[in-house]
Amino acid sequence: KDFQLDCSEEVKTSLTNHMGMVHKMVTEVCDEYFRSMRRQVYQTPKSYLSFIAAYKLMYREKLDALKEKESRVNLGLDKLIQGAKDVE
């Protein structure tokens, strides 16, 4: 709840559902791995929280990079507009 996503409520809901489905799929793959290899692998609440923390970190990094690119594009557009005004 303390993590801000720059998207609509519909996208937030879809993302929440996706994260839950990924957790469920990993749990199923752990069970399948046990059946085929006879080695137990656990999907714990801590590993799920680590997955979410990794997503948050990647989201922040990608959003910051995107905002930096947006800033550069806007600066370039401002310079083009100013250049067009100077020519007139």
Side-chain angles (χ1 to χ4, degrees), residues 2-5 52-67:
D2 63 337
F3 187 74
Q4 296 296 318
L5 291 174
I52 292 173
Y55 177 82
K56 286 179 171 181
L57 179 64
M58 182 183 69
Y59 180 86
R60 281 191 197 110
E61 289 172 354
K62 297 292 183 180
L63 185 61
D64 289 345
L66 187 62
K67 285 183 178 181

Side-chain angles (χ1 to χ4, degrees), residues 16-80:
T16 303
N17 291 337
H18 175 73
M19 293 292 207
M21 286 179 9
V22 167
H23 178 67
K24 182 181 176 191
M25 288 187 313
V26 169
T27 303
E28 291 169 358
V29 169
C30 288
D31 293 340
E32 183 180 324
Y33 183 76
F34 176 74
R35 285 191 298 274
S36 65
M37 299 296 196
R38 293 293 182 223
R39 297 196 71 181
Q40 194 68 48
V41 179
Y42 298 100
Q43 173 65 17
T44 64
K46 184 178 179 181
S47 59
Y48 181 65
L49 292 175
S50 295
F51 167 63
I52 292 173
Y55 177 82
K56 286 179 171 181
L57 179 64
M58 182 183 69
Y59 180 86
R60 281 191 197 110
E61 289 172 354
K62 297 292 183 180
L63 185 61
D64 289 345
L66 187 62
K67 285 183 178 181
E68 177 66 25
K69 289 178 182 178
E70 177 188 25
S71 173
R72 290 180 184 206
V73 167
N74 286 334
L75 180 63
L77 289 173
D78 289 342
K79 290 187 183 236
L80 285 172

